[in-house]
């Protein structure tokens, strides 16, 4: 890792402005949903994070300066934040002002009625716990991880406002909110003087729900969009082209069911892989290029189980833009495949 920041390298990176804010994010960001908990060796995750940051001085022309977490990332819950906090202390502390670090709260974190959803009590208590695990005074972005139909939106938004007013978050975001609730949250935040910076929805060639109305809403509001699961929980990689290999995520019940990998779905995936090959890209690289084709998408969140996988995915930015003909070919096979695990939240309201 470079010992001194190199200001000139930022001119070589691919950054996109987040909506109408002053913040720019790298086109590819690193999510710590999987592979950074206590079920994996600390040093393997550390190597990925170090390489992600250092990519800014390689031929890929991109530094992954945005690291995305949530309170319950692990396993066990909280361990990804603890481990990343240790990586900050070990390696990244001198570069804190070059990083965007985000976390979220909304899903189950601890037992009892105050350990999930969108109440003020849960969100602010969770943020304090996250900061303690991360060893930070503040995060750059704090998200409401999902819409809570049982809590007034004014209360959830009020907690986000307080996080900024207390200096514990610089910006706030929401995740898996419908277009309608996004507009309502944005207006409440605007009135309170804390603009909605960003929305984090699931989005991929096999899960295109945001194209119905959410992207239009975000574009109109001037809110950024960072897509998670752009590789459809691994379906848009070469891992499942010939079936379900032993030990894969689908066999472990980790956010991808074997039931989704039927022949009809795999026929589309294989066709998309052929399109990728014609562009001299991997299927994963094509999937990332495709998700970034719309200028309203600020960034895509990738996971990584190894340094090599990280480098291969970031190299998607070296590929040429998609042509109109290629987009038409992709549209034939970029069809809903039933993998939107967050549909209940994003359809609420």
């Amino acid at each position: 890792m470079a010992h001194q920041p190199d200001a000139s390298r930022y001119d070589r990176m691919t950054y996109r402005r987040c909506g109408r804010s002053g913040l720019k994010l790298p086109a590819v960001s690193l999510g710590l949903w999987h592979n950074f908990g206590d079920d994996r060796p600390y040093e393997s995750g550390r190597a990925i994070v170090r390489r992600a940051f250092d990519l800014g001085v390689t031929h890929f022309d991109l530094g992954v300066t945005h690291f995305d977490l949530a309170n319950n990332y692990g396993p066990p819950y909280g361990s990804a934040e603890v481990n990343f906090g240790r990586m900050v202390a070990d390696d990244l502390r001198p570069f804190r002002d070059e990083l965007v670090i985000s976390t979220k709260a909304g899903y189950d974190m601890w037992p009892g009625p105050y350990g999930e959803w969108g109440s003020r009590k849960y969100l602010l208590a969770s943020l304090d716990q996250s900061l303690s695990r991360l060893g930070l005074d503040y995060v750059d972005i704090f998200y409401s991880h999902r819409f809570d139909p049982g809590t007034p939106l004014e209360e959830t938004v009020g907690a986000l406002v307080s996080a900024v007013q207390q200096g514990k978050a610089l910006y706030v975001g929401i995740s898996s909110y419908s277009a309608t609730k996004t507009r309502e949250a944005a207006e409440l935040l605007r009135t309170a003087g804390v603009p909605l910076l960003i929305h984090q929805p699931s989005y991929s060639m096999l899960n295109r729900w945001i194209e119905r109305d959410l992207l239009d809403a975000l574009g109109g509001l001037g809110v950024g969009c960072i897509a998670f699961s752009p590789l459809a929980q691994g379906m848009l990689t070469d891992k499942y082209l010939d079936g379900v290999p032993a030990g894969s995520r689908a066999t472990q019940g980790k956010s991808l069911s074997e039931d989704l990998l039927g022949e009809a779905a795999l026929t589309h995936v294989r066709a998309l892989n052929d399109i990728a090959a014609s562009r001299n890209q991997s299927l994963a690289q094509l999937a990332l290029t495709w998700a970034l084709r719309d200028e309203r998408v600020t960034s895509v969140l990738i996971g990584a189980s190894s340094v090599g996988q990280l480098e291969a995915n970031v190299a998607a930015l070296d590929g040429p833009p998609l042509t109109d003909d290629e987009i038409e070919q992709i549209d034939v096979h970029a069809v809903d495949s039933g993998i939107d695990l967050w549909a209940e939240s994003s359809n609420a309201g």
Side-chain angles (χ1 to χ4, degrees):
M1 176 174 292
H3 295 292
Q4 295 294 330
D6 176 8
S8 66
R9 69 192 177 101
Y10 295 102
D11 295 331
R12 304 194 301 270
M13 298 176 190
T14 303
Y15 279 81
R16 295 185 174 194
R17 187 168 299 280
C18 194
R20 288 196 290 267
S21 77
L23 185 69
K24 293 181 179 180
L25 293 179
V28 174
S29 302
L30 182 63
L32 282 75
W33 180 17
H34 299 293
N35 303 313
F36 293 87
D38 289 346
D39 59 333
R40 294 288 303 273
Y42 170 77
E43 289 299 332
S44 69
R46 182 188 183 192
I48 294 167
V49 167
R50 285 170 62 99
R51 183 61 176 141
F53 183 72
D54 273 352
L55 279 171
V57 292
T58 73
H59 70 280
F60 292 123
D61 294 332
L62 181 98
V64 182
T65 53
H66 177 209
F67 299 92
D68 180 79
L69 300 107
N71 56 356
N72 64 355
Y73 286 176
Y77 288 172
S79 60
E81 289 185 327
V82 171
N83 289 330
F84 184 75
R86 183 178 167 191
M87 294 168 199
V88 170
D90 287 346
D91 300 308
L92 298 177
R93 180 70 66 183
F95 311 105
R96 174 64 183 96
D97 292 336
E98 297 184 57
L99 305 176
V100 172
I101 299 171
S102 60
T103 195
K104 303 178 283 291
Y107 285 94
D108 59 298
M109 182 59 192
W110 62 82
Y114 313 123
E116 64 175 325
W117 292 106
S119 71
R120 179 180 182 85
K121 181 173 178 60
Y122 169 57
L123 292 179
L124 294 180
S126 179
L127 178 56
D128 284 342
Q129 292 180 20
S130 289
L131 292 174
S132 178
R133 285 189 291 268
L134 290 164
L136 298 175
D137 296 324
Y138 70 94
V139 291
D140 296 278
I141 309 170
F142 180 53
Y143 288 89
S144 167
H145 206 168
R146 61 171 167 171
F147 173 70
D148 180 0
T151 296
L153 189 56
E154 291 83 356
E155 180 177 341
T156 298
V157 166
L160 297 179
V161 171
S162 292
V164 173
Q165 291 174 340
Q166 293 169 8
K168 297 175 181 179
L170 301 186
Y171 302 93
V172 295
I174 56 178
S175 180
S176 299
Y177 276 52
S178 69
T180 297
K181 291 304 178 184
T182 295
R183 290 189 179 95
E184 292 178 15
E187 178 58 23
L188 289 167
L189 285 163
R190 186 194 65 78
T191 300
V194 178
L196 177 61
L197 174 78
I198 194 166
H199 190 299
Q200 186 176 135
S202 60
Y203 183 49
S204 73
M205 291 193 288
L206 303 181
N207 176 20
R208 302 177 64 168
W209 74 275
I210 70 173
E211 295 174 6
R212 291 196 302 267
D213 54 6
L214 182 60
L215 276 176
D216 286 340
L218 298 178
L221 292 166
V223 172
C225 176
I226 181 166
F228 73 89
S229 289
L231 304 184
Q233 289 91 266
M235 283 183 69
L236 292 171
T237 69
D238 59 8
K239 185 177 294 183
Y240 301 106
L241 295 175
D242 299 316
V244 182
S248 65
R249 185 184 298 187
T251 65
Q252 300 174 33
K254 292 184 176 180
S255 71
L256 179 63
S257 168
E258 288 191 60
D259 296 339
L260 299 176
L261 296 167
E263 191 57 31
L266 290 179
T267 296
H268 289 299
V269 170
R270 292 176 186 127
L272 292 168
N273 185 62
D274 290 341
I275 297 170
S278 71
R279 290 171 45 85
N280 295 314
Q281 285 187 309
S282 69
L283 177 55
Q285 290 169 345
L286 174 67
L288 298 174
T289 300
W290 180 89
L292 287 165
R293 76 198 188 286
D294 192 313
E295 64 182 11
R296 294 171 295 184
V297 176
T298 312
S299 183
V300 291
L301 274 170
I302 61 168
S305 59
S306 68
V307 169
Q309 186 181 72
L310 171 77
E311 291 178 341
N313 286 339
V314 171
L317 297 173
D318 287 339
L322 291 165
T323 66
D324 290 342
D325 182 60
E326 287 172 331
I327 291 174
E328 287 184 14
Q329 294 177 50
I330 290 170
D331 281 341
V332 174
H333 301 285
V335 297
D336 185 86
S337 297
I339 61 169
D340 187 358
L341 306 180
W342 309 271
E344 182 176 357
S345 177
S346 57
N347 287 331

